[in-house]
Amino acid sequence: MYYSAHQPGHIDVIRQVNAGTVYRLIDGYGPVSRIALSRLSRLAPASITKIIRDLLEAQLVRECVLNEPGLRGRPATGLVLASESWHFLVLRVSGRSLHITLRDLSGREVAASRQDLPEDPATAIPDYFSETIGAFFSRHNALTERMTAITIILPGVIDAARGTVHRIPYYHARDIPLAQILSQRTGLTIYLQQDVKASLLAEHFFGAAKGSDDIIYLVAGRQIEVAVISSGTLLHKNSPAQAEMGHIIMDPGGQLCDYGHHGCLNTLAGSELLTERWRQQNTEPGNSLHPGTEMAALCHAAISGHQPSQAMIRESGKQIGRGLAMLVNLFNPEYILIDSVLNNAAEFFYPILRSTIEKESVVRRSTPLMIKPATVTGADTRPGTALIKEALYSGELLHRLLQG
């Protein structure tokens, strides 16, 4: 999940887990008393006292008056997080752009910028990121004195545990130990994650499925990509593997895909198929292309009453629904979140999606399956905040901050 030049030993691991537990409870229950923390964490009062002392000295928490109804006498002392003193940097690649955001530990945006990615496919990726980070720190020097970490969100094949970029779109670079190189150059802990997985974590912590432990997050673009949280655990969090829903064979006699398979979901419901059909529709007399991309034009035409466009979107929803039904049978999610341009034509996309899932799966929840548009998409850098929150809760990042 992360790379730092200093890895903790066995005793330190126990300490960091305990500290992370206390930090998470203060975040969730604050303002909260030391007595309540001891009860909730099942840690001894002496352990709570030491952890809180360390967190106070590091300016990661602060004391406040705790007004509890029904209590008389001197008010109790409560604890809340102190987020303003520490910052972290998020870099997210989206399309051909790099979005950079400096945030405090609460996730509040402090400074931000955007720049185009280099056009040269032979670009040295570590050098580019290193120079970009250095330039950002120079421009915002007064705001970067107390940096905690850097998070990097990338498309492609990413090994988060080793901090390795195996493959990234548009560039020739392969198997780059990016997190290790940047940690050595900046002296900071580096958190690296694949963009779909990181976006799902952000939805889990503060998005459309906040607090849910069973979520499927689907991106329907050129490729059909999926990330899964099941029983509170992000599937393949620390490996380059993904839930390859787009490569499920749906029609064995169908079109050949990039990997040499016939009739996979990508060839039946990916945006390339839809845009090609849209172009064919618009070669007919009387059809004019709505300004923007073909996918946006397709959705616009559908909601404007163009029946062939509506039929294309419904067929895409049906095929994606068939793939999702398989995942529903495996993971029994509470939420399915959709990141797609097709959300713009939800009235045609979502009903067939839901009906296909219901027809081809067995849902064993007492509450209805929620299918909603994703709220963390595209250039949003909140997935970096999710990685930091997870690292604080686990104690990984707290251990480094408390060590100074």
Side-chain angles (χ1 to χ4, degrees):
M1 182 72 186
Y2 75 106
Y3 183 88
S4 172
H6 307 285
Q7 303 293 339
H10 175 69
I11 299 300
D12 287 336
V13 169
I14 297 174
R15 291 173 179 166
Q16 78 177 30
V17 169
N18 289 343
T21 298
V22 172
Y23 186 92
R24 174 177 56 80
L25 291 171
I26 294 173
D27 192 15
Y29 292 92
V32 59
S33 68
R34 289 167 172 81
I35 293 173
L37 284 172
S38 180
R39 183 181 70 254
L40 290 166
S41 65
R42 299 184 179 181
L43 293 174
S47 297
I48 293 293
T49 298
K50 183 182 186 311
I51 291 170
I52 295 303
R53 181 172 64 245
D54 292 342
L55 293 175
L56 286 168
E57 289 176 358
Q59 297 181 21
L60 289 163
V61 302
R62 66 171 180 267
E63 294 180 325
C64 65
V65 174
L66 184 61
N67 293 314
E68 295 184 343
L71 291 182
R72 299 180 180 180
R74 182 178 177 181
T77 300
L79 296 156
V80 294
L81 298 186
S83 304
E84 303 83 7
S85 299
W86 293 94
H87 295 143
F88 63 93
L89 190 66
V90 185
L91 296 94
R92 179 170 189 174
V93 170
S94 179
R96 298 309 301 265
S97 299
L98 177 64
H99 301 266
I100 311 170
T101 308
L102 185 70
R103 297 179 181 272
D104 67 21
L105 290 185
S106 71
R108 181 181 65 89
E109 184 178 301
V110 178
S113 66
R114 189 209 71 85
Q115 63 191 53
D116 294 334
L117 290 170
E119 293 290 339
D120 185 0
T123 296
I125 299 299
D127 292 343
Y128 169 70
F129 277 108
S130 182
E131 292 165 6
T132 300
I133 292 167
F136 188 92
F137 283 174
S138 295
R139 290 195 305 272
H140 302 283
N141 185 56
L143 301 173
T144 57
E145 292 181 358
R146 302 197 76 180
M147 290 294 298
T148 59
I150 298 172
T151 63
I152 303 176
I153 314 299
L154 300 171
V157 181
I158 311 298
D159 187 333
R162 293 178 173 82
T164 301
V165 178
H166 291 295
R167 189 167 67 248
I168 182 172
Y170 311 119
Y171 296 102
H172 298 327
R174 295 290 185 270
D175 305 324
I176 311 165
L178 184 61
Q180 180 179 355
I181 293 171
L182 293 180
S183 182
Q184 291 169 348
R185 293 181 182 180
T186 64
L188 293 168
T189 301
I190 308 295
Y191 293 88
L192 186 68
Q193 189 54 276
Q194 193 262 355
D195 56 355
V196 180
K197 297 177 188 178
S199 294
L200 173 53
L201 274 180
E203 296 283 8
H204 165 70
F205 279 123
F206 32 70
K210 181 178 179 180
S212 175
D213 287 337
D214 296 285
I215 315 165
I216 293 173
Y217 181 99
L218 179 137
V219 178
R222 181 178 180 273
Q223 305 285 329
I224 309 298
E225 300 181 86
V226 163
V228 178
I229 288 178
S230 182
S231 299
T233 299
L234 175 62
L235 189 67
H236 302 311
K237 178 177 72 173
N238 290 326
S239 82
Q242 290 179 246
E244 298 285 4
M245 182 175 134
H247 293 293
I248 296 175
I249 303 300
M250 311 294 283
D251 178 12
Q255 182 180 336
L256 189 68
C257 78
D258 295 340
Y259 286 81
H261 302 149
H262 287 273
C264 69
L265 183 58
N266 286 329
T267 67
L268 296 175
S271 60
E272 281 193 352
L273 174 73
L274 291 174
T275 54
E276 178 58 31
R277 288 182 176 176
W278 171 254
R279 292 189 191 104
Q280 292 172 4
Q281 287 286 339
N282 278 275
T283 60
E284 299 175 6
N287 285 343
S288 59
L289 184 64
H290 183 262
T293 67
E294 288 92 340
M295 289 296 291
L298 171 67
C299 293
H300 177 81
I303 61 178
S304 298
H306 187 238
Q307 292 185 359
S309 297
Q310 295 172 4
M312 279 188 271
I313 292 172
R314 289 194 180 100
E315 179 60 23
S316 179
K318 179 180 178 181
Q319 297 298 339
I320 292 172
R322 291 178 63 202
L324 282 171
M326 299 179 192
L327 297 186
V328 168
N329 283 331
L330 289 172
F331 298 108
N332 194 27
E334 181 181 9
Y335 285 88
I336 295 176
L337 305 180
I338 310 291
D339 176 8
S340 175
V341 176
L342 295 177
N343 285 338
N344 295 325
E347 61 193 277
F348 307 106
F349 183 53
Y350 277 59
I352 189 67
L353 191 73
R354 176 177 289 279
S355 64
T356 303
I357 292 171
E358 291 175 349
K359 181 180 178 181
E360 300 191 16
S361 69
V362 179
V363 180
R364 298 188 182 277
R365 283 189 173 273
S366 57
T367 56
L369 173 64
M370 301 291 291
I371 304 176
K372 302 170 63 176
T375 59
V376 181
T377 63
D380 197 330
T381 60
R382 287 182 296 166
T385 306
L387 297 185
I388 292 296
K389 185 178 284 287
E390 186 179 54
L392 290 167
Y393 284 2
S394 71
E396 292 172 3
L397 186 54
L398 277 178
H399 174 78
R400 181 171 174 81
L401 299 181
L402 293 176
Q403 293 296 312

